[in-house]
Amino acid sequence: MLINGFFPCDDVHTMTLLASQWQRQECAGTLCFIVSEAFSNTYPCPEGCRYMMGHMLWDTQTLQQMAQQAATPYIALALTTQRLMLGEHILKRMAYFAEGLDATMVYSDYRDQQTQEGKETCTPHPVTDYQTGSIRDDFDFGSFVLIHTETLKQWAEQADIYTYRYAAWYDLRLFLSRHTLPQHIREMLYTTQQTDNRTSGERQFDYVNPRNREVQVEMEQAATHHLAQIGALIDTTQYAEPDLSDASFKVEASVIIPVFNREKTIVDAIRSAAAQHTDFKFNIIVVDNHSTDATTAIIDSLQDELSQTDNAPTLLHLIPERPDLGIGGCWNHALLHPQCGRFAVQLDSDDLYSSPNTLQSIVNTFRKENAAIVIGSYGMYDFALNPLPPGLIDHRAWTPQNGPNNALRINGLGAPRAFFTPIARQILFPNTSYGEDYAMALACSRCYRIARIYDELYQCRRWTGNSDANLSQEKVNANNSYKDMLRTIEIHKRQAQNAKN
């Protein structure tokens, strides 16, 4: 079986190497390089290959043109212009999996080649399995995939419904997943040149960069269309209304601070909470998860200090009996405590409130919007509180009309997060230390309104002690897979809810 190939290209040396590698593959059909007109006028096409004018793989017209030219049962598609080293028999191996699994798309693990300090290294880069909930637009398929041609052509025939400049590939792979889920081959079938050497902590905020706003609007449109097609779209005109008038709470709000071994930051966090100016009573609940440094003693000292200070909020220092709690478990411990207030408000032990008015602003918004969750905006700072790019993270992509649907596409909803305690007690956080807040927000947004505050309320400090500062590829994969699982569960729940209505 022959396989056509389509590779975007902007470098003549890379093109020559790819053509040579391609022609040594036993299943190799025609290789088409997707190039600009200026490139095609400057460099002759390698013998046995051809050019197609296009703009990478992000616009609809390019992918439709590719579908028209595809003439083999499957096509191979490069998702990058970076140099690829195709593994021996890669086409035959991918076709074997695609046919055996009746898959519309297959993708594989690969190797990263990097040059550091003049030395080349090659490291494994495993990717993750695709799930129903893998609808985030940054899902890592690697750089090389095999696609079922007939399904590609079906997408091209209906692609004029939306014409994208940036989201065509995203829309295509969502379309493919509605037929059969993309299948992951757990074999390293090729090597790619790695050029993004940033840490995981630096990359995680790319999607909220204001420079990417036009891209995000198109991605949201594609994701919303996909959710509608699979029966998982939330009708935001049908929210349940929480009863915020429950009289059983002794204080209006609680600032919740889970902490483990943060002797360098816990004082600043607690003082930031204690400095809040409000027209209501609030307390601070610190859940100390069996710290082994000086954190516990520091909290005790601050508790004594605040107890002797006029008009200071009460500081509760809780140490759970259980030794097996993650951040979510610590949140549950605070939520279920009888002293927890009507509204439970986040403050991470690394971070600070931006002003003494943060807590008042959050509670006012609960009342005004009759919401189950209020989420603010935060600025990025270093440990010395110098601003860091990309600056304010305000998630303005959120709209009341579509926010709960777009929430399934992105990796987070912002901070600080605050929850109406009775509803949070019904749902409870998963006992994890990653994605626990995202899980709670998704579950709430299925039925209740989430209100947003676009002013900076929170200072998020990035430093080497952050738990997500520099994660291994395996840990990044585990985190991504977990959030995809949360999305999978949520999609199924939304489909079931819609089926009843």
Side-chain angles (χ1 to χ4, degrees):
M1 177 176 63
L2 293 180
I3 296 171
N4 290 156
F6 293 85
F7 288 20
C9 189
D10 58 10
D11 175 75
V12 65
H13 183 56
T14 298
M15 178 178 67
T16 303
L17 289 174
L18 284 171
S20 175
Q21 293 181 56
W22 179 266
Q23 290 163 358
R24 291 197 295 269
Q25 295 285 331
E26 63 264 48
C27 295
T30 302
L31 177 58
C32 179
F33 288 105
I34 304 170
V35 298
S36 67
E37 186 174 352
F39 187 96
S40 68
N41 290 336
T42 304
Y43 303 106
C45 190
E47 185 177 354
C49 302
R50 57 186 173 85
Y51 282 151
M52 186 185 93
M53 303 304 113
H55 306 282
M56 283 292 291
L57 306 175
W58 320 131
D59 70 284
T60 300
Q61 186 177 4
T62 297
L63 289 182
Q64 285 179 317
Q65 187 179 351
M66 185 179 73
Q68 291 170 1
Q69 296 188 18
T72 54
Y74 295 92
I75 65 160
L77 180 61
L79 302 179
T80 179
T81 58
Q82 295 171 359
R83 187 175 303 171
L84 293 172
M85 286 160 279
L86 303 180
E88 192 173 28
H89 311 302
I90 181 175
L91 297 182
K92 188 173 184 178
R93 192 65 180 154
M94 281 190 154
Y96 176 81
F97 272 86
E99 287 186 306
L101 296 171
D102 193 25
T104 56
M105 182 169 76
V106 294
Y107 61 103
S108 75
D109 298 334
Y110 60 101
R111 293 180 177 85
D112 278 324
Q113 188 175 49
Q114 297 174 294
T115 301
Q116 295 178 329
E117 299 179 354
K119 294 182 179 180
E120 284 195 352
T121 60
C122 196
T123 57
H125 190 125
V127 293
T128 60
D129 290 350
Y130 197 97
Q131 308 174 47
T132 299
S134 298
I135 73 167
R136 53 192 167 88
D137 56 61
D138 63 349
F139 187 90
D140 182 11
F141 291 104
S143 301
F144 190 90
V145 300
L146 198 74
I147 294 175
H148 183 244
T149 301
E150 183 57 38
T151 314
L152 167 65
K153 290 181 180 293
Q154 292 172 17
W155 171 84
E157 290 173 359
Q158 58 83 59
D160 288 333
I161 296 174
Y162 297 115
T163 300
Y164 295 111
R165 291 180 61 198
Y166 307 106
W169 160 246
Y170 179 52
D171 187 63
L172 168 59
R173 62 97 157 171
L174 291 175
F175 180 88
L176 296 172
S177 75
R178 293 198 292 273
H179 290 72
T180 62
L181 293 182
Q183 295 294 316
H184 171 205
I185 304 172
R186 295 177 186 81
E187 300 172 12
M188 294 179 191
L189 297 181
Y190 61 95
T191 300
T192 187
Q193 194 170 39
Q194 177 61 261
T195 58
D196 186 353
N197 296 318
R198 295 175 300 161
T199 65
S200 59
E202 294 170 314
R203 294 195 303 268
Q204 68 174 321
F205 298 104
D206 286 352
Y207 74 101
V208 291
N209 191 320
R211 291 176 298 178
N212 296 333
R213 178 72 182 121
E214 289 183 49
V215 177
Q216 294 302 312
V217 168
E218 285 200 3
M219 296 295 186
E220 178 176 359
Q221 187 179 42
T224 303
H225 175 68
H226 174 70
L227 291 172
Q229 292 296 304
I230 63 174
L233 195 70
I234 287 292
D235 181 357
T236 58
T237 67
Q238 301 294 323
Y239 284 131
E241 297 290 335
D243 179 8
L244 303 183
S245 64
D246 191 325
S248 63
F249 293 97
K250 297 179 180 178
V251 296
E252 186 73 352
S254 291
V255 176
I256 310 297
I257 310 177
V259 63
F260 174 73
N261 285 2
R262 284 292 185 266
E263 61 185 5
K264 294 182 179 180
T265 62
I266 189 61
V267 171
D268 292 341
I270 293 175
R271 290 198 187 284
S272 172
Q276 294 299 297
H277 296 163
T278 66
D279 61 12
F280 51 81
K281 291 181 64 176
F282 72 95
N283 61 25
I284 304 166
I285 302 179
V286 179
V287 184
D288 179 5
N289 201 12
H290 305 279
S291 295
T292 58
D293 63 0
T295 296
T296 301
I298 291 169
I299 299 169
D300 285 339
S301 176
L302 283 170
Q303 189 177 40
D304 290 340
E305 177 186 318
L306 290 176
S307 68
Q308 299 173 37
T309 303
D310 291 341
N311 300 318
T314 299
L315 171 59
L316 283 73
H317 182 190
L318 308 182
I319 301 177
E321 291 184 10
R322 299 187 66 96
D324 58 352
L325 298 185
I327 293 173
C330 290
W331 259 93
N332 292 337
H333 192 73
L335 276 175
L336 297 173
H337 193 277
Q339 297 299 315
C340 185
R342 187 188 317 275
F343 304 112
V345 186
Q346 171 212 7
L347 180 59
D348 288 353
S349 57
D350 304 284
D351 302 332
L352 308 169
Y353 290 143
S354 294
S355 84
N357 302 314
T358 290
L359 200 55
Q360 183 72 57
S361 178
I362 289 171
V363 171
N364 288 348
T365 303
F366 269 113
R367 296 294 185 186
K368 179 181 178 181
E369 301 289 338
N370 202 32
I373 299 181
V374 172
I375 304 177
S377 303
Y378 61 97
M380 300 297 298
Y381 296 86
D382 64 17
F383 196 70
L385 295 182
N386 298 305
L388 295 173
L392 181 68
I393 311 297
D394 57 12
H395 287 268
R396 284 192 179 271
W398 178 279
T399 63
Q401 297 77 23
N402 200 48
N405 297 308
N406 196 40
L408 286 166
R409 178 184 67 86
I410 58 180
N411 264 331
L413 298 181
R417 297 168 292 273
F419 309 91
F420 179 45
T421 297
I423 290 175
R425 284 173 171 170
Q426 291 174 22
I427 298 170
L428 294 180
F429 290 84
N431 184 29
T432 63
S433 293
Y434 177 81
E436 71 289 337
D437 50 344
Y438 185 65
M440 175 66 79
L442 284 183
C444 280
S445 71
R446 190 185 331 130
C447 301
Y448 297 99
R449 182 177 294 104
I450 293 180
R452 305 298 307 229
I453 300 173
Y454 295 113
D455 299 322
E456 182 183 304
L457 301 182
Y458 196 84
Q459 294 177 326
C460 180
R461 295 196 287 186
R462 309 302 297 171
W463 60 299
T464 54
N466 288 133
S467 58
D468 56 0
N470 189 12
L471 303 180
S472 68
Q473 186 60 50
E474 289 73 18
K475 185 60 176 175
V476 169
N477 286 351
N479 286 347
N480 285 334
S481 291
Y482 179 67
K483 278 194 174 178
D484 284 352
M485 183 197 70
L486 294 176
R487 296 182 185 98
T488 297
I489 294 169
E490 185 60 28
I491 285 172
H492 287 315
K493 285 186 173 291
R494 294 181 182 197
Q495 287 171 329
Q497 177 175 282
N498 289 342
K500 292 179 181 179
N501 295 337

